Amino acid sequence: MNYILIGDSGHGKVIEDCIRANGHQVIAKLDDKYPSLFKMGSYMKGPITAIGNLLDVNTKVVISIGHNAIRKKIVERLQLKEELYGTVIHPSAIISPSSKIGYGTVVMPNVVVNADSLVDNHVILNTGCIVEHDCIAGNFVHISPSAVLTGGVIVQEGTQVGARTSINPTIQIGKWSMIGAGSTVIQNIPDHVTAVGVPAKIIKERGTFGD
């Protein structure tokens, strides 16, 4: 299988390593910092609008941008059918057979997703994070490296959980919020806020898409 990455970024490099670890290859890296389509080594590079020239039945697309709101805006802009998006899971990840991983989602090395969890579409499960049993990670969520969602946690659309954060069982975190790195979340967090600390406390209201 071939892949097109949307976003020529450091995050994209890690996704490419995951793709290669599965025996597949990246054939193009598209980013609007490039004014026109050109070849660089084994890749085609160019603006996002060049995607129509590169898609075929053997090619999948992944949005390789860590910023959740930008990832959503690009998905809305492209208007691709869901079957054109790839799901990339590094072979070192441990995924329960009773869990579900959505399209466009990337699961980095050493991630654990345990029983009956739902990881929705265009989610980033970053290196070494743990999603325990019966959790839900909504569309465009980013669970940062080494973060832990204990059992029954719900993280709603667009929220980012910072590196090494721990979220207590059955906690719910609203849409488009940010949980700062190293936090411990012991109570529910609403939509559109930033919360940090041990225990996590709200320090800032955020925009509609967490900007």
Side-chain angles (χ1 to χ4, degrees):
M1 181 66 67
N2 295 327
Y3 284 81
I4 296 170
L5 299 184
I6 306 296
D8 192 0
S9 62
H11 179 61
K13 293 177 183 178
V14 184
I15 294 175
E16 182 172 10
D17 282 348
C18 294
I19 290 168
R20 288 181 172 177
N22 284 296
H24 304 307
Q25 64 177 345
V26 174
I27 61 168
K29 297 179 178 181
L30 303 182
D31 196 300
D32 284 343
K33 66 186 177 184
Y34 302 124
S36 60
L37 192 63
F38 65 98
K39 190 169 182 64
M40 177 180 284
S42 60
Y43 308 109
M44 295 301 297
K45 296 194 175 188
I48 294 171
T49 52
I51 192 169
N53 300 319
L54 300 170
L55 273 176
D56 60 36
V57 294
N58 297 313
T59 303
K60 296 289 187 180
V61 176
V62 175
I63 311 298
S64 55
I65 295 172
H67 191 292
N68 297 344
I70 294 175
R71 203 159 63 255
K72 180 174 183 178
K73 289 173 183 176
I74 290 175
V75 168
E76 292 173 342
R77 171 183 167 186
L78 289 175
Q79 293 292 301
L80 297 177
K81 295 179 180 179
E82 63 183 54
E83 60 265 25
L84 293 176
Y85 286 105
T87 299
V88 179
I89 301 174
H90 192 275
S92 67
I94 299 171
I95 310 294
S96 168
S98 65
S99 288
K100 180 182 176 183
I101 308 293
Y103 61 85
T105 287
V106 178
V107 181
M108 301 297 195
N110 302 313
V111 167
V112 176
V113 180
N114 278 329
D116 292 320
S117 286
L118 170 62
V119 179
D120 232 324
N121 308 316
H122 302 289
V123 172
I124 300 167
L125 297 185
N126 222 319
T127 307
C129 72
I130 297 173
V131 178
E132 267 296 348
H133 64 88
D134 300 296
C135 288
I136 298 174
N139 296 332
F140 305 103
V141 159
H142 185 165
I143 308 299
S144 298
S146 299
V148 178
L149 277 57
T150 58
V153 168
I154 297 174
V155 181
Q156 295 187 45
E157 178 177 300
T159 284
Q160 178 152 1
V161 176
R164 298 190 178 277
T165 287
S166 177
I167 304 178
N168 278 12
T170 71
I171 292 295
Q172 297 190 31
I173 299 179
K175 299 176 182 178
W176 299 100
S177 286
M178 168 71 77
I179 309 301
S183 297
T184 299
V185 184
I186 64 172
Q187 60 185 5
N188 293 346
I189 301 293
D191 299 347
H192 311 305
V193 300
T194 296
V196 301
V198 182
K201 296 181 179 179
I202 296 168
I203 63 166
K204 180 182 177 182
E205 300 289 335
R206 295 167 65 81
T208 303
F209 293 104
D211 295 328

